[in-house]
Amino acid sequence: FGDGMLFTSEEAEFTTAPDGMFISNATMAASRIRLAGAKEREEDTQLLGSPDLVIEVVSDGSEFKDTEWLMAGYWNAGVTEYWLIDARKAPVRFTTYRRGPKGFVAVRKSGGWVRSPVLGKMFRLTPTEKLLGKQDYQLDVR
């Protein structure tokens, strides 16, 4: 799910709109999440429960929120994996956190690649050609 979908954990009394979320088929089949629609629209606008993976992109105005407040909130809400991307200056920082017993723990990189425990693949962000004077990035998967 992309930016704009609300995520609410009723158990943790936590609501936010992450930059991205992933929910596995197993999580859907186990009914650990449910989708809710807005009254004025028929499309789903909110995820209730706990996604498997949440993505946040750091901006100047969101650094504390993304690295402290949201990280604690996602852990309390039972999120399994948290991706934090900070491309405000080179080199881009792409950190994957896995759920630990008392909080999130960074997954160690190997040769610039980081394993996603949830997705079972290796990922890295690489800079590509600049577009309109802004650096663009590609998510590599292996």
Side-chain angles (χ1 to χ4, degrees):
F1 296 93
D3 191 20
M5 173 75 83
L6 282 178
F7 156 46
T8 296
S9 168
E10 294 166 322
E11 285 183 13
E13 297 179 351
F14 176 76
T15 298
T16 190
D19 293 318
M21 293 183 283
F22 171 79
I23 293 88
S24 68
N25 288 335
T27 295
M28 293 285 282
S31 299
R32 293 195 314 255
I33 63 105
R34 64 186 168 90
L35 299 173
K39 291 180 183 176
E40 63 277 0
R41 297 185 290 187
E42 291 188 22
E43 64 190 54
D44 296 319
T45 58
Q46 186 172 20
L47 181 143
L48 303 169
S50 186
D52 296 293
L53 184 144
V54 173
I55 302 167
E56 290 291 351
V57 179
V58 178
S59 67
D60 289 337
S62 74
E63 185 173 9
F64 174 78
K65 181 178 107 177
D66 294 337
T67 60
E68 301 288 333
W69 185 78
L70 284 176
M71 187 177 280
Y74 291 141
W75 189 86
N76 290 334
V79 172
T80 306
E81 188 172 317
Y82 182 47
W83 287 15
L84 190 61
I85 301 166
D86 188 346
R88 294 176 294 167
K89 59 184 176 181
V92 64
R93 289 186 302 166
F94 171 44
T95 309
T96 297
Y97 295 92
R98 65 172 173 75
R99 191 170 180 76
K102 295 183 180 179
F104 284 109
V105 177
V107 176
R108 189 178 332 165
K109 289 186 178 182
S110 176
W113 292 86
V114 64
R115 176 166 295 283
S116 164
V118 165
L119 300 174
K121 301 265 185 196
M122 300 283 287
F123 295 88
R124 73 175 177 189
L125 277 177
T126 55
T128 60
E129 184 177 332
K130 285 189 176 185
L131 300 172
L132 301 174
K134 301 287 185 180
Q135 185 65 62
D136 199 14
Y137 295 90
Q138 174 177 301
L139 182 64
D140 300 320
V141 182
R142 68 173 187 195

